[in-house]
Amino acid sequence: TKHLVFISSIAAQSGSYAAHDLTEDDFPTPNNAYGRSKFAAEQAIRAAGISFTILRPVVIYGEGEKGNFATVHRHSRLPIPLPFGAMSAQRSVLSIQNFNSAVATALSNPRARGETFIVSDPTPVTVPHLIARYRASCGKPAWLMPVPQSWIKLTLQAIGQGAIWERIGQPLVAPPAKLLSIGWDPS
């Protein structure tokens, strides 16, 4: 039997940050054209009368990563201390391996049919954790300075990059509890 696995995005459910842990039961509130288009596609799939599973992954890291992760890793390669040591916002992320296993679960598990799932690694991280982990993988010390978060936010806003603050300085925790409950086994 044919079964569509639609790769949506957490952006179909939320803006770039959320004040509470997101679940699939939250009413979708996409706040940009990308998120609205993903949500519209989800609605069209639900209305089509076909066998489907919708996956809403958070930001993906690993081979071929783009966006925020590519930026964090590019800055992490610089041979200078970075001012992000005091940042404390938790962010859900997703390894490419766990993304692939979620797709496999959606294709093979009958309990995934007709459902929508948030897809993320089970444990959220912080920007300092990401930088330290990446630098350690390169054999380098973390070298993070604890600059007050308010200074980073004001600096980004002053140079017209307030949206970056929303993506790195604000929380976005989206646990994969529903996907785990049907037997998904992330690495």
Side-chain angles (χ1 to χ4, degrees):
T1 63
K2 293 184 178 180
H3 181 73
L4 172 68
V5 176
F6 179 66
I7 308 305
S8 184
S9 168
I10 199 66
Q13 185 162 344
S14 171
S16 54
Y17 64 93
H20 67 283
D21 288 8
L22 298 174
T23 73
E24 294 83 354
D25 294 332
D26 292 325
F27 186 80
T29 55
N31 72 347
N32 59 33
Y34 176 73
R36 288 188 293 274
S37 69
K38 286 289 194 178
F39 184 60
E42 289 181 11
Q43 291 173 304
I45 290 164
R46 285 187 192 95
I50 59 171
S51 178
F52 72 89
T53 301
I54 295 170
L55 299 179
R56 290 180 177 161
V58 297
V59 63
I60 298 174
Y61 66 94
E63 188 76 30
E65 67 198 13
K66 297 177 179 146
N68 293 342
F69 265 101
T71 302
V72 166
H73 288 157
R74 190 170 51 253
H75 285 90
S76 297
R77 285 191 290 272
L78 296 171
I80 59 172
L82 295 175
F84 305 120
M87 293 182 65
S88 60
Q90 296 276 312
R91 303 284 300 183
S92 288
V93 297
L94 178 62
S95 73
I96 189 68
Q97 294 85 358
N98 282 341
F99 170 75
N100 292 338
S101 76
V103 172
T105 297
L107 287 168
S108 65
N109 189 325
R111 293 169 63 196
R113 293 184 184 266
E115 297 291 339
T116 299
F117 297 98
I118 287 172
V119 189
S120 66
D121 292 347
T123 305
V125 296
T126 64
V127 168
H129 173 85
L130 290 174
I131 293 169
R133 185 169 73 187
Y134 183 75
R135 283 185 161 177
S137 76
C138 298
K140 297 177 181 169
W143 212 7
L144 289 160
M145 298 181 334
V147 172
Q149 295 184 90
S150 58
W151 293 7
I152 296 170
K153 178 181 179 181
L154 290 171
T155 300
L156 288 169
Q157 289 172 336
I159 62 171
Q161 299 296 319
I164 291 176
W165 173 253
E166 292 180 359
R167 292 193 306 270
I168 67 168
Q170 298 281 70
L172 182 71
V173 177
K178 182 178 175 184
L179 188 56
L180 290 167
S181 78
I182 69 161
W184 178 53
D185 187 22
S187 59

